[in-house]
Amino acid sequence: MEECQRLLSAVVGADHLAIRILIQLGLRSEELFALRRDDVIGDVLRIDEAIVDGLPAPVKTDASDASVYIPPDLQIEMRGWLECLGPDPRGWLLPAPKGGPWLAQNYLNRVLKPAAVRARVGVFTRRSGKGKEVESTDVNFQVLRRTCATLFGAKAKDPRDTQAQLRHSDPTVTLRHYQKSIPAN
């Protein structure tokens, strides 16, 4: 949780909202960037599109086509963000700087990884192509989805609750690949 808080403290506005959605709701990056204003329906977020090769497309699986509950504190932040956007209900919830949907790789390289380095989350030193030492991070969309699964699973009574949150068709996928144990301090 402390790393999540540090990461969130390194971003503001749409980026803060995007990273909170990734951590708290466990969306896939292609689902996050396909969200439109009218996908926010009260206390749920409708997941019915994904961005594939820069264009809207159906979600990954039938199980992925669903709605997820938005916790009250995230609802408040989302409502505030919606007030900043234009009136088009089909407009992007988190538009890229040029107005279209973000491409996941662009967001990863321009926003998420630099924020994680600033927040000192998952940071390591590597050599650039020119031999210079540069800081990088292992934070990516998959790490944030696993973080969601782990945090959600730590509070859930039943692994199927975490499976439902991540919208997997099979709970063994969730348990085998996403939900990790949290070591006792």
Side-chain angles (χ1 to χ4, degrees), residues 159-176:
R160 290 176 293 191
D161 294 336
T162 307
Q163 169 207 353
Q165 180 67 27
L166 295 184
R167 294 162 291 105
H168 288 144
S169 58
D170 182 355
T172 58
V173 171
T174 307
L175 291 170
R176 186 179 308 127

Side-chain angles (χ1 to χ4, degrees), residues 8 19-26 71 73-74 148 152 165:
L8 287 167
I19 293 171
R20 272 193 77 186
I21 291 171
L22 292 166
I23 292 170
Q24 287 187 262
L25 304 183
D73 60 323
L74 186 54
C148 174
F152 198 89
Q165 180 67 27

Side-chain angles (χ1 to χ4, degrees), residues 1 12 15 18 23-24 43 83 85 94-95 151 160 174-175 184:
M1 279 304 297
V12 297
D15 299 327
I23 292 170
Q24 287 187 262
D43 64 352
E83 291 174 7
L85 297 175
L94 301 161
L151 295 173
R160 290 176 293 191
T174 307
L175 291 170

Side-chain angles (χ1 to χ4, degrees), residues 19-66:
I19 293 171
R20 272 193 77 186
I21 291 171
L22 292 166
I23 292 170
Q24 287 187 262
L25 304 183
L27 270 61
R28 296 172 182 96
S29 60
E30 60 270 17
E31 297 167 342
L32 173 72
F33 299 123
L35 291 173
R36 298 178 188 266
R37 291 184 51 157
D38 65 357
D39 289 328
V40 181
I41 307 164
D43 64 352
V44 296
L45 190 58
R46 179 180 52 216
I47 313 299
D48 61 352
E49 286 183 300
I51 297 298
V52 179
D53 296 327
L55 299 170
V59 289
K60 190 173 178 180
T61 66
D62 288 342
S64 298
D65 190 345

Side-chain angles (χ1 to χ4, degrees), residues 90-116:
R90 295 297 294 155
W92 303 110
L93 180 65
L94 301 161
K98 293 184 179 179
W102 274 101
L103 297 177
Q105 195 64 37
N106 287 347
Y107 191 86
L108 180 70
N109 293 329
R110 294 177 187 170
V111 178
L112 184 56
K113 285 191 174 281

